[in-house]
Amino acid sequence: MNEPQSFWTKYVWSQDHKVIAVQYSITAIVAGIVALVLSVLMRMQLGFPDSVPFMDSEAYYQAMTLHGMIMVIYLLTALFLGGFGNYMIPLMVGARDMVFPYLNMLSYWFYLLSVIVLMASFFVPGGPTGAGWTLYPPQAILTGTPGTDWGIITMLISLAIFIVAATMGGLNYVTTVLQARCRGMTLMRMPLTVWGIFVATIMALLAFPALFVSAVMMLFDKLLGTSFFMPAVVSMGQALDYDGGSPVLFQHLFWFFGHPEVYIVALPAFGIVSDLISVHARKNIFGFRMMVWAIVFIGVLSFVVWAHHMYVSGMNPYFGFFFAITTLVIAVPTAIKVYNWVLTLWRGDIHLTVPMLYAIAFISTFVIGGLTGLFLGNVIVDIPLSDTYFVVAHFHMVMGVSPILVIFGAIYHWYPKITGRMLNDTIGKTHFWITFIGTYAIYFPMHYLGILGMPRRYYAYENYEFIPQSAHDLNSFISAMAIVVAVAQVLYIYNLFWSYWKGKEAGPNPWGATSLEWQTPQTPPVHGNWGEKLPEVHRWAYDYSVPGYDEDFVPQTQPQPEDRPAGEMA
Amino acid sequence: MSEPKAYPSLEENPVRDFSLPTPTDLTLARGGLRMLFAVLGVMFALFAVAYSMRMHMGDWQVLVDPWQLWLNTAMLIAGSVAMEIARQSWRRGRTQWVGPALLIGGGFAVVFLAGQLWVWSMLTSEGYLVNGNPATSFFYLITGLHGLHIVVGLGFWAYGTGKVLRGAESAQRAGVSIELCSSYWHFLLVVWLGLFALLANT
């Protein structure tokens, strides 16, 4: 393996998975900050109408669209797969790098390009698209929706580039897991982090083509005047040339991607949180095999639930019945995972470290968001709640706050390995409590607004008789909380920088963890990860508090007692 | 103290302690390529699904497919055969055949593309435009996307063929290229046969 020499090959055009992971993560976080600012602008408008001068209805819809799209795809997907996947997979399975390092590098540069194209849409004539992150036609490309000239085109092109990037990365992650594991690393000895990312990657590879297909067909409708999705339309008093297209076809394609996407974000979070809980409770994960199979089942099932996003599209009742059943069935493996996390904590030697706080907070927000998902999975309950703040509360709890909490915990957990220094605990805990309580304060009240019937995607709620003053007051409260939480994120970012130079030296394995990434000869790991010899794995990743050993963890690299000469103890 | 035991360790219920063979470039690349086929397969399948859903919307007018498509299909089959000959010759060490077979295989792909463009220009001149009936729109979309994949394949083919023609210096790397190119040719042939069946029957 050629050691990169210059600054450029080492940090910019790098083919080292660890550098690429950091590049991916930083880009994703920067994009995420843009989306966070957009959400603050929206909350200002909702809580304190007209307080932001340029926030008219158009700007609101543009902010809403970009907020959703960036958070789901350019932040969460990119950070979990491109960031954590890249850093963790080779280290955790004992490989020197991804199997196609050049392709891996290309994957990052395509991702960066997609982000640049997306951000460029803020500066094109007419601004970014305001079609909502689902980009439903016909409105997405018709006059009246903001950004129909350029915004929608940059959006679709950016998505197409992102999909190419994700595919290049995904081929790498899957092939690395399947073919580059070190000696002794059976599939059932891989940590759940790798399992989560692995299954999520397969899902991404199979689901993103649906988004690609819909993006390409919509581009055709917009640019070449085809009528794939566009029905006969009279727009601004004029009949357009479109005829006969099917907007529902777009919805099917979009959600065939869109629902697996939820789990593409959730499964890595599930995997990572399992490892955080196990390490910081000093206990093996409860029901490891069950956890693996639950991840696999959730992955499979998530491909047959997509139409639960379309209950109000006028579908055949039997169709809705089928999708309600599959949606509720997916709660079974999900509930198994929640029970197993709790049972891992049960009688564990719980260390309330910052990563553990985030992990426990995740269980709480995920249960809340998951339970409201059971409400919405039922057609009959969904129909009145559809397009209300109840839905906003649901998906922000389950796939906004929950995975973000895992990301905070995961960065905190692995930062010592990545940089060699610990993050600051005081800042970490302060950030944790503000974020955890703050996000509850934001999203919990939204359930009530939703049940009250308050529609989502409105930019102003004045002069509606059915919305009482108390709802407006609640809205102001939510907005105030949102601003507090948003500002508190500065603490975390500050911590990342401050600790990089001033943090406590971490040593190779500060948490006393068993998995391979903590057993590297150097911290941070150098190019090639393992020095002369690849590691050998003799056990699973969850030997914590094993009786008869001096320490409360046994690294995966340590041979089983029967493998060693008699009389020698660990 | 009792015998130290790895309490819930998987060793208690021993998992086959296999050691993976050191994967070669070829096995890795082949593994990656197969995943790519799965991804592209899903993509083309979804286009087909969209096609069959859109078909039932009422305004669909069946596009009579030009006879040239049969000719183009034959070109693609011939290209695949030539690539397979290149691969088998390489595996059996008959290196003198490899270069010519590769060139012929790529050549047929170029002819196929030219044939598809011929079909396009014919349809256009007859007034079947991309923004016309959805059947026509789909025809352009699907053949165009398939053609684009052939173009990308030709890029890799040029790279690999160049290595072969330059000589044995990077023999093993050239072998990977030959194997991958011929698999890719077969894959795009299969995709085309599926798409052609769909386009021709509706």
Side-chain angles (χ1 to χ4, degrees):
Chain A
M1 240 188 216
N2 297 327
E3 190 79 23
Q5 299 301 336
S6 75
F7 171 83
W8 284 91
T9 48
K10 211 167 178 177
Y11 298 110
V12 183
W13 305 109
S14 174
Q15 299 185 29
D16 187 316
H17 72 100
K18 300 182 291 295
V19 179
I20 296 172
V22 174
Q23 290 174 326
Y24 247 114
S25 306
I26 291 175
T27 314
I29 290 169
V30 169
I33 291 171
V34 172
L36 184 72
V37 170
L38 292 175
S39 65
V40 171
L41 291 174
M42 283 188 286
R43 278 320 313 185
M44 288 291 287
Q45 166 61 27
L46 293 178
F48 316 102
D50 304 324
S51 55
V52 184
F54 59 85
M55 211 60 185
D56 53 10
S57 61
E58 294 221 333
Y60 183 85
Y61 285 123
Q62 292 170 321
M64 182 190 80
T65 305
L66 272 281
H67 166 80
M69 197 61 101
I70 293 175
M71 287 297 194
V72 172
I73 293 188
Y74 299 87
L75 170 69
L76 288 175
T77 308
L79 194 50
F80 273 125
L81 302 185
F84 286 103
N86 250 318
Y87 205 95
M88 292 307 156
I89 289 173
L91 281 169
M92 283 186 152
V93 305
R96 292 200 183 277
D97 207 312
M98 287 290 177
V99 291
F100 311 122
Y102 186 77
L103 198 64
N104 206 20
M105 177 183 76
L106 277 187
S107 165
Y108 170 69
W109 290 102
F110 271 72
Y111 166 60
L112 181 65
L113 180 66
S114 76
V115 172
I116 291 171
V117 172
L118 182 77
M119 294 302 167
S121 73
F122 283 106
F123 305 101
V124 296
T129 176
W133 91 281
T134 52
L135 305 176
Y136 277 5
Q139 54 91 18
I141 59 177
L142 286 183
T143 323
T145 301
T148 39
D149 293 326
W150 287 93
I152 185 72
I153 297 172
T154 46
M155 179 84 256
L156 295 172
I157 290 175
S158 168
L159 284 174
I161 300 171
F162 180 90
I163 293 163
V164 174
T167 304
M168 291 193 289
L171 294 176
N172 244 317
Y173 315 151
V174 172
T175 315
T176 303
V177 168
L178 289 179
Q179 302 199 348
R181 304 192 306 281
C182 69
R183 193 181 151 83
M185 180 60 83
T186 59
L187 285 175
M188 278 297 176
R189 281 174 176 175
M190 293 196 305
L192 286 165
T193 297
V194 179
W195 265 108
I197 294 173
F198 175 57
V199 175
T201 306
I202 295 176
M203 293 168 62
L205 286 172
L206 301 181
F208 271 117
L211 182 63
F212 185 80
V213 168
S214 41
V216 168
M217 286 167 66
M218 180 126 71
L219 273 177
F220 266 56
D221 277 4
K222 168 74 192 162
L223 296 175
L224 301 175
T226 55
S227 299
F228 293 126
F229 303 133
M230 297 297 283
V233 179
V234 176
S235 170
M236 304 291 188
Q238 284 204 315
L240 304 182
D241 285 339
Y242 298 113
D243 190 27
S246 166
V248 174
L249 171 59
F250 177 89
Q251 296 188 17
H252 280 297
L253 284 170
F254 182 86
W255 287 114
F256 186 74
F257 145 77
H259 197 82
E261 169 64 25
V262 174
Y263 288 94
I264 290 167
V265 170
L267 290 185
F270 290 173
I272 289 171
V273 90
S274 308
D275 284 355
L276 296 189
I277 288 174
S278 176
V279 173
H280 296 275
R282 314 309 294 160
K283 227 182 117 189
N284 66 285
I285 192 80
F286 188 93
F288 172 76
R289 280 165 185 276
M290 224 191 296
M291 292 299 251
V292 171
W293 285 111
I295 285 177
V296 174
F297 277 128
I298 292 171
V300 173
L301 277 175
S302 71
F303 277 96
V304 287
V305 299
W306 78 89
H308 70 213
H309 296 270
M310 300 163 57
Y311 285 153
V312 293
S313 70
M315 62 173 69
N316 183 318
Y318 290 107
F319 201 62
F321 180 71
F322 171 80
F323 281 98
I325 297 286
T326 53
T327 302
L328 299 184
V329 165
I330 215 169
V332 175
T334 313
I336 286 176
K337 297 194 77 71
V338 173
Y339 289 132
N340 286 357
W341 290 323
V342 175
L343 287 167
T344 305
L345 290 170
W346 176 254
R347 295 186 155 185
D349 173 13
I350 295 176
H351 296 227
L352 283 178
T353 56
V354 179
M356 186 60 146
L357 290 175
Y358 283 112
I360 295 171
F362 160 84
I363 298 178
S364 146
T365 57
F366 184 72
V367 166
I368 297 281
L371 286 176
T372 52
L374 290 181
F375 287 51
L376 296 171
N378 287 286
V379 186
I380 195 167
V381 185
D382 177 75
I383 286 174
L385 288 176
S386 185
D387 271 323
T388 68
Y389 264 84
F390 193 86
V391 179
V392 177
H394 158 69
F395 70 72
H396 276 92
M397 277 310 239
V398 82
M399 76 166 299
V401 176
S402 301
I404 287 284
L405 289 175
V406 174
I407 285 174
F408 286 139
I411 293 178
Y412 211 99
H413 181 79
W414 278 297
Y415 189 86
K417 180 51 68 175
I418 298 168
T419 64
R421 290 177 189 271
M422 306 295 285
L423 283 167
N424 180 291
D425 254 16
T426 316
I427 306 180
K429 285 190 172 150
T430 315
H431 171 262
F432 166 77
W433 285 110
I434 297 177
T435 306
F436 177 56
I437 296 175
T439 46
Y440 257 96
I442 295 168
Y443 296 110
F444 204 75
M446 284 189 192
H447 293 98
Y448 294 95
L449 294 180
I451 288 175
L452 193 66
M454 215 160 123
R456 70 187 180 120
R457 291 184 163 156
Y458 281 28
Y459 98 107
Y461 291 94
E462 290 104 342
N463 308 321
Y464 292 97
E465 266 182 30
F466 71 98
I467 300 178
Q469 183 56 36
S470 59
H472 291 294
D473 295 343
L474 199 52
N475 240 343
S476 307
F477 169 77
I478 291 172
S479 292
M481 286 298 110
I483 292 163
V484 170
V485 171
V487 172
Q489 303 315 306
V490 173
L491 286 175
Y492 201 89
I493 309 266
Y494 174 76
N495 200 356
L496 292 179
F497 281 104
W498 187 85
S499 304
Y500 187 77
W501 286 283
K502 301 280 178 67
K504 204 169 62 169
E505 292 278 347
N509 191 358
W511 312 115
T514 61
S515 45
L516 284 183
E517 80 275 21
W518 300 103
Q519 325 303 332
T520 53
Q522 292 90 5
T523 298
V526 295
H527 189 68
N529 294 348
W530 306 107
E532 286 295 298
K533 219 167 155 277
L534 284 175
E536 262 187 41
V537 165
H538 297 273
R539 54 184 75 233
W540 70 343
Y542 298 99
D543 270 343
Y544 290 102
S545 309
V546 181
Y549 284 83
D550 293 339
E551 294 202 77
D552 66 350
F553 70 102
V554 191
Q556 281 190 280
T557 47
Q558 186 163 323
Q560 294 291 338
E562 57 266 32
D563 298 348
R564 283 173 292 155
E568 187 190 322
M569 285 274 286
Chain B
M1 196 172 199
S2 65
E3 189 71 14
K5 244 188 164 187
Y7 153 60
S9 162
L10 293 177
E11 297 289 339
E12 292 208 324
N13 182 10
V15 175
R16 186 167 56 100
D17 186 27
F18 67 92
S19 57
L20 296 162
T22 313
T24 61
D25 282 353
L26 180 60
T27 39
L28 289 179
R30 208 185 262 154
L33 191 68
R34 282 189 190 143
M35 280 308 298
L36 180 67
F37 288 166
V39 175
L40 296 179
V42 169
M43 184 191 73
F44 281 109
L46 284 167
F47 273 115
V49 168
Y51 182 93
S52 10
M53 283 174 74
R54 183 67 182 80
M55 214 164 72
H56 299 293
M57 296 303 291
D59 59 339
W60 190 270
Q61 290 161 11
V62 175
L63 178 72
V64 180
D65 295 301
W67 62 267
Q68 285 87 344
L69 286 180
W70 290 97
L71 192 66
N72 294 349
T73 307
M75 295 299 121
L76 212 52
I77 294 173
S80 229
V81 170
M83 293 305 266
E84 188 58 32
I85 291 174
R87 161 147 78 184
Q88 296 301 337
S89 312
W90 179 267
R91 284 184 184 168
R92 286 166 200 180
R94 299 190 197 121
T95 37
Q96 73 278 20
W97 291 97
V98 176
L102 277 177
L103 285 175
I104 294 171
F108 274 119
V110 174
V111 174
F112 170 81
L113 282 179
Q116 295 288 79
L117 286 175
W118 181 24
V119 171
W120 276 19
S121 70
M122 245 175 28
L123 285 175
T124 317
S125 65
E126 286 169 24
Y128 293 101
L129 300 179
V130 67
N131 60 356
N133 193 266
T136 323
S137 309
F138 264 114
F139 183 87
Y140 284 105
L141 174 61
I142 287 175
T143 52
L145 216 69
H146 178 262
L148 207 59
H149 282 83
I150 296 217
V151 171
V152 174
L154 280 171
F156 286 98
W157 166 85
Y159 175 71
T161 310
K163 274 192 297 198
V164 172
L165 295 183
R166 270 200 305 279
E169 188 196 344
S170 50
Q172 171 145 20
R173 302 286 307 162
V176 174
S177 293
I178 296 164
E179 291 276 350
L180 297 193
C181 270
S182 79
S183 300
Y184 190 74
W185 254 240
H186 300 338
F187 171 74
L188 283 186
L189 172 64
V190 171
V191 167
W192 171 252
L193 292 177
L195 295 176
F196 187 35
L198 183 73
L199 294 170
N201 286 318
T202 45

